[in-house]
């Protein structure tokens, strides 16, 4: 059995966290490949090392003095090394990094050093081999991730290494410069190492015990989700639920490797399993609730609209031409509503409206703003009657006016549009009817 274990920034923010991480790794010998993030926040007002590096490099790029900022970064590592008595000398590394900053080696290079250094320190602490992802995580000329080349290189590089630490977040371009993934991208490296080594499980260690049915800032003390499918997760993360980087799904999904989100501070908690398919029924019919504010609806009315061939296409064309993507498009016989991100739409509003008038000749166009969308997601909805009914009666009891409903043919989710001011109330009402009343 081979497990790839990725530890997030908060799991490696201090010496104390390093100790917990080492205990977790040593308690299971199948945890052979370790992917660390850069040290994160030790307390709420703290700064992540990645952000310190970005800040420091910004000064360097402007030719300003960055000694103080650089020393603060050094201090983060030296406090860990000192407290744990790790036998490693990284002063030379800092010299090289500083010289590269002065030589303007690039923002990505700068940010990547957080993971690089943490990888060196962790490898020394664990007694594992350090492997630089620059040697095996590749981007193509256009900056996209080169998956085929990478998976092959990771498999080859790690096949004879029993235990290794591979820093997260970055790889290299064809010209050997360093490139990072987007923020939070160490999750992606973990997934790549799991896929490349053909691991049995990808454990992603963070500071929460997996996903929760709803955002704890909206619902008080929400229940954890034990098992979620990739598709459900995609629906929920699209609607704003975040714990895991979305792009991290693809490599393991392709290789059929399950992911287990675990809590470094509570290693005994089962966490959440993310799987391709499962026979396990979700405990509460629904798997999760997520939502976002900031949408607008453009309502278009035209008599006999449904007889007019190409009407929908012409409507959407006006949005496309202006680079505004639509989220949903519920329609009636003589009406069509296009739901868009309010801020994106506001920039191009008059161009789009003029285009609609000129090309679609509607009887009426009316815009509603400040809409929130809520996704109620669950593989269990398909096999159970009355889910939609329960949602809407819960919302009616909570005096929430539903402005839009959209149920995809997969029956995996129901999207509900409500006024922004009703957003929290609506999420709580749905949570209560499915979860609280089942407890
Ligand atoms: N350290 C990087 C960030 O803060 C990447 C990561 O932690 O996954 O975004």
């Amino acid at each position: 059995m081979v497990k790839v274990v990725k530890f997030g920034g908060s799991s490696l923010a201090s010496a104390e966290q390093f100790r917990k991480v080492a205990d977790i790794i040593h308690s299971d010998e199948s945890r052979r490949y370790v992917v660390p993030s850069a040290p994160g926040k030790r307390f709420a007002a703290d700064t992540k090392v990645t952000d310190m590096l970005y800040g420091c490099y910004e000064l360097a790029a402007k030719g300003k003095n960055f000694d103080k900022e650089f020393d603060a970064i050094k201090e983060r590592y030296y406090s860990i090394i000192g407290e744990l008595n790790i036998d490693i000398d990284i002063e030379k590394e800092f010299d090289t990094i500083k010289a590269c900053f002065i030589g303007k080696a690039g923002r990505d290079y700068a940010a990547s050093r957080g993971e690089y250094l943490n990888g060196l320190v962790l490898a020394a602490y664990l007694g594992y081999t350090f492997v630089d992802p620059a040697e095996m995580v590749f981007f193509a000329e256009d900056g996209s991730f080169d998956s085929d080349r990478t998976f092959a290189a990771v498999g080859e590089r790690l096949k004879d290494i029993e235990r290794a630490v591979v820093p997260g977040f970055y790889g290299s371009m064809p010209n050997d410069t360093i490139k990072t993934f987007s923020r939070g991208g160490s999750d992606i490296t973990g997934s790549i190492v799991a896929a490349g080594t053909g691991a049995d499980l990808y454990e992603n260690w963070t500071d929460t015990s997996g996903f929760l049915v709803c955002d704890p800032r909206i619902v008080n003390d929400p229940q954890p989700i034990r098992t979620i499918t990739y598709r459900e997760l995609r629906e929920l993360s699209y609607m704003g639920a975040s714990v895991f980087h979305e792009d991290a799904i693809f490599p393991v999904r392709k290789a059929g490797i399950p992911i287990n989100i675990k809590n470094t501070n509570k290693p005994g908690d089962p966490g959440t399993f993310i799987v391709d398919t499962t026979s396990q029924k979700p405990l509460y019919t629904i798997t999760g609730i997520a939502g976002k504010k900031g949408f607008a609806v453009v309502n278009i009315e035209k008599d006999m609209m449904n007889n007019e061939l190409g009407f929908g296409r012409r409507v959407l064309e006006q949005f496309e031409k202006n680079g505004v993507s639509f989220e949903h498009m519920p329609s009636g016989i003589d009406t069509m509503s296009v739901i868009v991100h309010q801020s994106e739409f506001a920039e191009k509003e008059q161009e789009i409206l003029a285009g609609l008038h000129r090309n679609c000749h509607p009887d009426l166009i009316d815009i509603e703003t400040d809409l929130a969308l809520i996704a109620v997601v669950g593989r269990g909805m398909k096999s159970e009657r009355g889910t939609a009914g329960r949602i809407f009666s819960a919302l009616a009891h909570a005096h929430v006016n539903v402005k839009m409903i959209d149920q995809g043919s997969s029956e995996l989710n129901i999207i509900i549009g409500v006024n922004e001011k009703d957003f929290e109330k609506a999420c709580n009402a749905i949570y209560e009817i499915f979860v609280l009343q089942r407890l």
Side-chain angles (χ1 to χ4, degrees):
M1 175 109 166
V2 175
K3 290 181 187 165
V4 169
V5 286
K6 180 259 168 182
F7 290 89
S10 60
S11 301
L12 292 163
S14 63
E16 188 195 347
Q17 293 299 86
F18 261 68
R19 272 195 205 101
K20 290 184 195 168
V21 165
D23 285 347
I24 289 166
I25 293 170
H26 293 318
S27 69
D28 179 347
E29 62 171 34
S30 60
R31 294 183 174 134
R32 287 177 42 193
Y33 301 113
V34 183
V35 176
S37 283
K41 293 184 180 195
R42 291 158 295 183
F43 41 87
D46 200 13
T47 310
K48 292 178 173 187
V49 165
T50 308
D51 291 312
M52 296 168 87
L53 286 160
Y54 279 127
C56 196
Y57 185 73
E58 215 166 288
L59 294 172
K62 287 185 192 143
K64 294 192 178 156
N65 183 293
F66 58 90
D67 287 350
K68 196 174 97 229
E69 288 73 12
F70 199 77
D71 286 347
I73 295 167
K74 284 171 82 169
E75 177 45 35
R76 290 289 307 261
Y77 291 98
Y78 279 126
S79 76
I80 294 168
I81 294 170
E83 224 177 290
L84 297 175
N85 235 332
I86 303 173
D87 185 17
I88 186 175
D89 179 5
I90 54 170
E91 196 52 32
K92 276 209 184 64
E93 297 290 347
F94 281 121
D95 292 344
T96 309
I97 294 169
K98 196 165 199 179
C100 290
F101 272 38
I102 294 167
K104 306 203 169 93
R107 243 174 83 81
D108 279 21
Y109 166 80
S112 74
R113 296 306 88 183
E115 270 69 10
Y116 172 78
L117 291 165
N118 223 20
L120 288 174
V121 176
L122 185 62
Y125 186 47
L126 295 171
Y128 279 27
T129 308
F130 173 85
V131 177
D132 192 339
E135 296 168 30
M136 58 182 191
V137 174
F138 300 122
F139 294 91
E141 205 69 68
D142 64 359
S144 61
F145 169 58
D146 189 344
S147 56
D148 290 345
R149 196 174 156 223
T150 299
F151 295 147
V154 169
E156 184 54 33
R157 181 76 178 84
L158 296 178
K159 75 176 194 306
D160 297 322
I161 302 180
E162 185 60 24
R163 297 177 185 279
V165 172
V166 182
F169 195 34
Y170 70 94
S172 59
M173 290 290 289
N175 66 359
D176 286 340
T177 54
I178 295 289
K179 179 172 166 55
T180 61
F181 291 107
S182 57
R183 293 300 303 266
S186 296
D187 284 348
I188 307 174
T189 312
S191 183
I192 290 169
V193 174
T197 56
D200 300 283
L201 181 66
Y202 171 25
E203 285 181 346
N204 190 287
W205 292 81
T206 172
D207 53 8
T208 56
S209 295
F211 297 115
L212 301 171
V213 172
C214 192
D215 188 334
R217 287 167 300 186
I218 299 174
V219 162
N220 184 28
D221 197 16
Q223 289 293 306
I225 299 174
R226 289 268 172 270
T227 309
I228 187 169
T229 63
Y230 295 129
R231 289 170 69 216
E232 289 172 309
L233 179 63
R234 166 120 181 84
E235 300 281 350
L236 288 171
S237 21
Y238 188 70
M239 278 307 231
S242 68
V243 167
F244 190 63
H245 199 300
E246 244 196 284
D247 296 344
I249 304 270
F250 153 76
V252 275
R253 182 173 190 179
K254 204 166 160 234
I257 301 166
I259 307 165
N260 189 191
I261 309 281
K262 297 271 287 175
N263 190 346
T264 302
N265 305 316
K266 290 184 186 169
D269 283 359
T272 301
F273 272 95
I274 311 172
V275 298
D276 189 20
T277 43
T278 174
S279 59
Q280 279 182 40
K281 292 223 165 71
L283 279 173
Y284 315 107
T285 307
I286 62 162
T287 301
I289 308 163
K292 269 192 203 165
K293 292 181 179 175
F295 293 94
V297 198
V298 183
N299 295 312
I300 301 153
E301 269 184 47
K302 185 172 188 186
D303 226 12
M304 309 296 278
M305 170 192 289
N306 62 332
N307 290 340
E308 212 179 298
L309 203 64
F311 187 83
R313 179 183 51 74
R314 283 198 300 281
V315 166
L316 291 182
E317 217 170 49
Q318 311 316 312
F319 289 86
E320 186 183 349
K321 269 200 279 196
N322 287 287
V324 173
S325 59
F326 76 99
E327 293 295 309
H328 297 277
M329 200 179 60
S331 55
I333 298 173
D334 290 332
T335 63
M336 186 174 280
S337 302
V338 184
I339 300 184
V340 286
H341 282 280
Q342 197 159 316
S343 54
E344 241 178 66
F345 175 69
E347 280 178 32
K348 294 286 178 168
E349 178 189 79
Q350 292 310 316
E351 288 90 330
I352 294 172
L353 293 179
L356 288 172
H357 278 293
R358 257 190 311 240
N359 296 288
C360 311
H361 312 289
D363 297 332
L364 183 81
I365 300 183
D366 147 75
I367 302 172
E368 281 181 75
T369 55
D370 305 325
L371 187 83
L373 294 182
I374 300 169
V376 184
V377 176
R379 58 189 185 279
M381 300 199 302
K382 205 170 180 162
S383 52
E384 207 157 310
R385 264 179 300 127
T387 311
R390 287 169 72 197
I391 294 174
F392 297 115
S393 73
L395 293 174
H397 276 109
H399 302 287
V400 172
N401 183 19
V402 175
K403 310 207 68 125
M404 195 250 347
I405 305 164
D406 193 353
Q407 178 175 24
S409 53
S410 63
E411 286 186 61
L412 189 68
N413 67 357
I414 298 179
I415 310 274
I416 304 145
V418 299
N419 249 321
E420 279 187 357
K421 69 170 174 38
D422 289 334
F423 176 63
E424 285 80 9
K425 199 174 16 163
C427 291
N428 273 287
I430 299 168
Y431 183 79
E432 177 166 349
I433 195 109
F434 286 101
V435 182
L436 291 184
Q437 292 190 7
R438 280 272 171 101
L439 289 178

